[in-house]
C-alpha cells in the first residue's frame, strides 16, 4: 500500500522520517520523490528539508547500501525498529515527524535461498532476519517439545493442523532425522495439511510464517515498540504500521486505543485495492493503521 503510506506520511510535511523496516528502500524513495515533486511544483512550500533515518535488522540491507550508494538524505542503521531512539540520536535528531513500520517480508529476503524464507526453493531452514543473531529455525525446533512447537504454529500461524505438524517434527527428531532444510519442512506440511478447495494457500504458508515470527521474536519486539513509540514522535507526528497478521494488527490496534496522546486517524484499518492485490497477491492480507500524536497543548 505505498500510495496510502506516502500520502499519510507526507501530508504533514515531515522534516524527519523514520523508516523502521527499510528493506529495499521502496517507501523511503517514494517519500523523497514526493518531497522533490513538492519542491519543484511549489518552491515556497514550508516543507523545505527532509531527512530519513532508516533501520533494518538484516545485514544484507547494509551490504547492498554499500555497493549501491543511497540518497545522501538517508541515514541507514543496522538494527531493529526497536532501536529507533538510538538511530535518531546518532543522526542528530531528538524525535521524528513520521515513523513507518512495514512488517512484511521484502522481496530480497524471499529471493535469498540461504535464508529459507521462501518454501519454493530449498536451503537451510533458517528464517532469521539477522543471520548473526539468535538461532536458526531448525535449531529452534530441536530445542522445543511437541506442545511448544504446536502452540507456536497455531498461535503465530493460525494453522489448524499444528498438532499433526508438531508430531511429525518430533518423530523425525527421535528417529535421528531432524528437520534441517526447507524441503523437509515443506514435505511435512504437505502430508499434514489437507489441500484447500480453492488451492490459494500453500500448505506450508502458515507454518513458515509461525516459525519466522517465533525465531525473530517479532511480536515481542512489536509490543515493546508500540508501548514506547509515542515518545519518539514530535507533537503532530504520525506512526504508520502496515501489518500482515491478525496478531500484529491486534497489538497495533490496542496500542493506539490505549495511548491517550495518540489520535487514531484510521478508525478501521485501510486495505489494499483490488488492483493492488491483482498486481501483488502478497498484499491481500495487509492492514494499514495510522495515528497522530496530539499537540502538546491538547
Amino acid at each position: 500500500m505505498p500510495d496510502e503510506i506516502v500520502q499519510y506520511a507526507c501530508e504533514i510535511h515531515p522534516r524527519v522520517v523514520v523508516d523502521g523496516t527499510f528493506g529495499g528502500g521502496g517507501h523511503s524513495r517514494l517519500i523523497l520523490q514526493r518531497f522533490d515533486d513538492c519542491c519543484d511544483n511549489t518552491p515556497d512550500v514550508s516543507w523545505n528539508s527532509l531527512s530519513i533515518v532508516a533501520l533494518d535488522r538484516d545485514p544484507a540491507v547494509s551490504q547492498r547500501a554499500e555497493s549501491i550508494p543511497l540518497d545522501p538524505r538517508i541515514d541507514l542503521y543496522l538494527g531493529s525498529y526497536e532501536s529507533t531512539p538510538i538511530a535518531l540520536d546518532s543522526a542528530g535528531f531528538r524525535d521524528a515527524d513520521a515513523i513507518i513500520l512495514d512488517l512484511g517480508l521484502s522481496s530480497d529476503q524471499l529471493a535469498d535461498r540461504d535464508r529459507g524464507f521462501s518454501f519454493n526453493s530449498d536451503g537451510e531452514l533458517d528464517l532469521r532476519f539477522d543471520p548473526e543473531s539468535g538461532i536458526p529455525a531448525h535449531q529452534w525446533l530441536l530445542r522445543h517439545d511437541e506442545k511448544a512447537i504446536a502452540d507456536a504454529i497455531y498461535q503465530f500461524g493460525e494453522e489448524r493442523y499444528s498438532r499433526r505438524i508438531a508430531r511429525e517434527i518430533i518423530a523425525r527428531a527421535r528417529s535421528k532425522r531432524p528437520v534441517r532444510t526447507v524441503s523437509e519442512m515443506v514435505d511435512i506440511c504437505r502430508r499434514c495439511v489437507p489441500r484447500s478447495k480453492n488451492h490459494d494457500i500453500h500448505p506450508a504458508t502458515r507454518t513458515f510464517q509461525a516459525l519466522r515470527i517465533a525465531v525473530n521474536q517479532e511480536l515481542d519486539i512489536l509490543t515493546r515498540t508500540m508501548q514506547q513509540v509515542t515518545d519518539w514522535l514530535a507533537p503532530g507526528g504520525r506512526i504508520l504500521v502496515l501489518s500482515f497478521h491478525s496478531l500484529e494488527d491486534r497489538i497495533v490496534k490496542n496500542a493506539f486505543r490505549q495511548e491517550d496522546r495518540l489520535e487514531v486517524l484510521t478508525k478501521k484499518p485501510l486495505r489494499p485495492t483490488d488492483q493492488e492485490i491483482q498486481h501483488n497477491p502478497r498484499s491481500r492480507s495487509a492492514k494499514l493503521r495510522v495515528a497522530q500524536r496530539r499537540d502538546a497543548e491538547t
Side-chain angles (χ1 to χ4, degrees), residues 130-289:
D130 181 359
E132 300 174 3
S133 177
I135 59 172
H138 64 84
Q139 290 186 19
W140 186 93
L141 292 173
L142 284 174
R143 296 187 184 188
H144 291 79
D145 61 20
E146 182 177 327
K147 182 180 185 303
I149 293 171
D151 288 348
I153 294 174
Y154 182 78
Q155 180 182 5
F156 301 150
E158 299 177 311
E159 174 55 72
R160 293 172 54 197
Y161 301 97
S162 60
R163 303 294 176 198
R164 292 185 189 177
I165 295 169
R167 194 177 306 122
E168 285 292 316
I169 291 170
I170 294 301
R172 283 188 61 107
R174 288 172 176 166
S175 64
K176 308 302 181 183
R177 297 181 300 111
V179 173
R180 185 175 181 84
T181 67
V182 170
S183 61
E184 290 168 348
M185 191 71 250
V186 168
D187 180 63
I188 288 176
C189 293
R190 286 188 186 279
R191 288 187 284 108
C192 293
V193 179
R195 193 70 167 172
S196 60
K197 293 181 180 180
N198 53 15
H199 301 281
D200 61 342
I201 298 178
H202 190 286
T205 297
R206 295 186 177 93
T207 295
F208 272 65
Q209 172 184 281
L211 294 178
R212 190 204 77 217
I213 289 173
V215 166
N216 292 290
Q217 301 180 343
E218 294 177 44
L219 299 184
D220 291 338
I221 291 174
L222 179 61
T223 298
R224 292 194 298 267
T225 295
M226 296 310 300
Q227 291 170 345
Q228 305 172 65
V229 71
T230 311
D231 295 329
W232 311 339
L233 286 171
R238 291 180 175 180
I239 169 68
L240 302 85
V241 185
L242 186 66
S243 64
F244 293 81
H245 186 280
S246 61
L247 291 177
E248 295 172 339
D249 181 61
R250 190 175 304 127
I251 290 170
V252 177
K253 177 180 68 175
N254 290 339
F256 282 2
R257 287 178 174 176
Q258 294 165 8
E259 174 56 82
D260 293 336
R261 293 174 294 171
L262 288 178
E263 176 187 358
V264 179
L265 303 183
T266 50
K267 301 305 180 184
K268 292 185 178 180
L270 301 181
R271 304 300 301 271
T273 62
D274 291 340
Q275 183 179 3
E276 180 175 357
I277 293 174
Q278 185 176 6
H279 177 71
N280 177 19
R282 294 209 311 269
S283 72
R284 65 182 179 271
S285 59
K287 293 181 179 180
L288 176 63
R289 293 186 185 270

Side-chain angles (χ1 to χ4, degrees), residues 20-92:
T21 45
F22 185 70
H27 291 128
S28 291
R29 283 194 295 271
L30 288 172
I31 289 171
L32 288 171
Q33 182 61 54
R34 174 70 69 88
F35 169 78
D36 292 338
D37 290 344
C38 286
C39 291
D40 291 342
N41 297 329
T42 313
D44 61 343
V45 69
S46 61
W47 187 15
N48 55 18
S49 65
L50 176 63
S51 297
I52 292 183
V53 178
L55 299 94
D56 204 286
R57 297 172 68 180
D58 191 341
V61 173
S62 298
Q63 294 166 6
R64 286 196 300 271
E66 292 175 359
S67 60
I68 306 175
L70 296 174
D71 187 298
R73 292 169 289 183
I74 299 176
D75 287 311
L76 178 60
Y77 297 85
L78 180 62
S80 164
Y81 51 77
E82 188 178 22
S83 302
T84 291
I86 298 173
L88 281 169
D89 183 66
S90 297

